[in-house]
Amino acid sequence: MIWYPYEQMKTMKAPYKIVDAEGVYLYTEDNKMIDSISSWWSTIHGYKHPVITKAIKDQADKFSHVMLGGLTHDPALQLSAKLADWLPGDLDHCFFSDSGSVGVEVALKMALQYYVNQGDMERTKVLALQNAYHGDTFKAMEVGDDEDYHFILEAYGEKKYVINIPTEIPALEEAFAKHHRELNCMIVEPLLQGAAGMLMYDVSFLQRARELCDEYGVLLIFDEVATGFGRTGNRFVADLVLPDILVLGKALTGGHIGHAVTVANHKVYDAFYSDDPEKALMHGPTFMGNPLACSAALKSIQLFEEEDYMAKIRRITEITREEMSGFTAPQIKEIRIMGGCVCIEVHDGACLKGFPEFAYERGVFNRPFLNFLYAMVPYIITEDELRHVLRTMKDWFLR
């Protein structure tokens, strides 16, 4: 029996059984649905993309996996070289893992050990955001601030090593003034806080965070697992403000297979580069650098570049703004749009009960949560398909 995620198994409704998927569509035995949330925001090229599928099959004919302990292989070498060339600044050193949560764990471990390796044992705290979500592994939950996901940590009592602040510059400056001597890093979902309800904030907050991190010698981590690859309307938010460590996942492989990467700049990497074995990063996920995943990621990046996905995302934003312009209903608190993301926040989540079935009947798969009805569509979606998704969302409030 499958134990499904984020569900009370005793009361959950039966999930839709998918028998095929292609392009933006999911197929059940009796229906065809546009996936309006891209399998948790990952399938930016849609399903079963022939180029990525062929890359995975070709690599599987050679070997599906070898560990990176004492071994290496071309897909991992090529992907790390491509990312070093493609990412901004000196984000050049790639540590692979198998999920975004683990990628965040690696980033936090790097930040702590960066100072330990220099003999500084006092910088044990992390500055993070209110409403933060960075994954469901334990350190990722600790830096998070979402009681709907992380309430289990209440069993441990008050947090000792994490400070959560709102996305307001005065609160940011106050936190650095008070805690800078004990901070090893600041971690953020840049511009768009996904699991908190697609909360959006201004880039000026990140710019000030970069200045303060530089002033006080604190590392800045961007968790772009959800925001990377164009979702905010920027290729990466790291193109606007450069972090010391960047975490990517989800769309890294176009959603075809699980993989993540934690990318460090030269300063961070050099703190581990030593004749002393105790200064090595002692971490090693079994499936890090999986050759199937690396092959998929290389082709995903190639498609993103060659088919001008940033233009596709700009068009998605334009159509979304056009469809949502002036739209309102008594149940709606706010409509937020950024890049390839739209969110309708309602006053009471009870009014969204029944929407998945409503959407299913209209050929759309959607999964609202709490007070949030949102869409993060695959970038290959046509204008007609996108308008159908958006009008299905609006029609729910016009019944």
Side-chain angles (χ1 to χ4, degrees), residues 293-313:
C294 289
S295 299
L298 283 161
K299 288 300 181 182
S300 178
I301 293 171
Q302 180 181 330
L303 289 168
F304 195 97
E305 289 182 303
E306 293 181 353
E307 298 187 12
D308 193 3
Y309 269 52
M310 293 308 300
K312 295 180 191 293
I313 295 162

Side-chain angles (χ1 to χ4, degrees), residues 54-68:
K54 183 178 185 299
I56 294 171
K57 287 180 176 179
D58 288 348
Q59 180 57 45
D61 284 339
K62 299 174 184 176
F63 52 91
S64 293
H65 182 63
V66 294
M67 67 179 187
L68 287 188

Side-chain angles (χ1 to χ4, degrees), residues 270-384:
D270 287 347
F272 292 78
Y273 194 73
S274 171
D275 293 322
D276 184 353
E278 291 187 1
K279 290 188 176 180
L281 179 61
M282 299 303 289
H283 205 94
T286 299
F287 293 101
M288 67 181 296
N290 173 263
L292 301 179
C294 289
S295 299
L298 283 161
K299 288 300 181 182
S300 178
I301 293 171
Q302 180 181 330
L303 289 168
F304 195 97
E305 289 182 303
E306 293 181 353
E307 298 187 12
D308 193 3
Y309 269 52
M310 293 308 300
K312 295 180 191 293
I313 295 162
R314 286 191 293 273
R315 184 59 180 148
I316 288 170
T317 308
E318 291 170 3
I319 294 168
T320 303
R321 292 193 183 282
E322 179 185 318
E323 283 287 337
M324 293 298 177
S325 177
F327 179 71
T328 189
Q331 308 97 310
I332 294 175
K333 178 180 179 181
E334 184 180 43
I335 297 177
R336 296 187 284 275
I337 299 168
M338 179 182 283
C341 173
V342 57
C343 178
I344 301 175
E345 181 178 354
V346 298
H347 294 286
D348 183 353
C351 78
L352 299 177
K353 184 178 174 60
F355 179 77
E357 294 78 15
F358 177 87
Y360 182 86
E361 292 171 359
R362 288 155 180 76
V364 174
F365 173 69
N366 194 280
R367 190 174 181 272
F369 64 100
L370 302 174
N371 293 358
F372 311 105
L373 172 58
Y374 77 97
M376 285 192 181
V377 296
Y379 300 151
I380 62 163
I381 198 167
T382 67
E383 180 172 337
D384 287 345

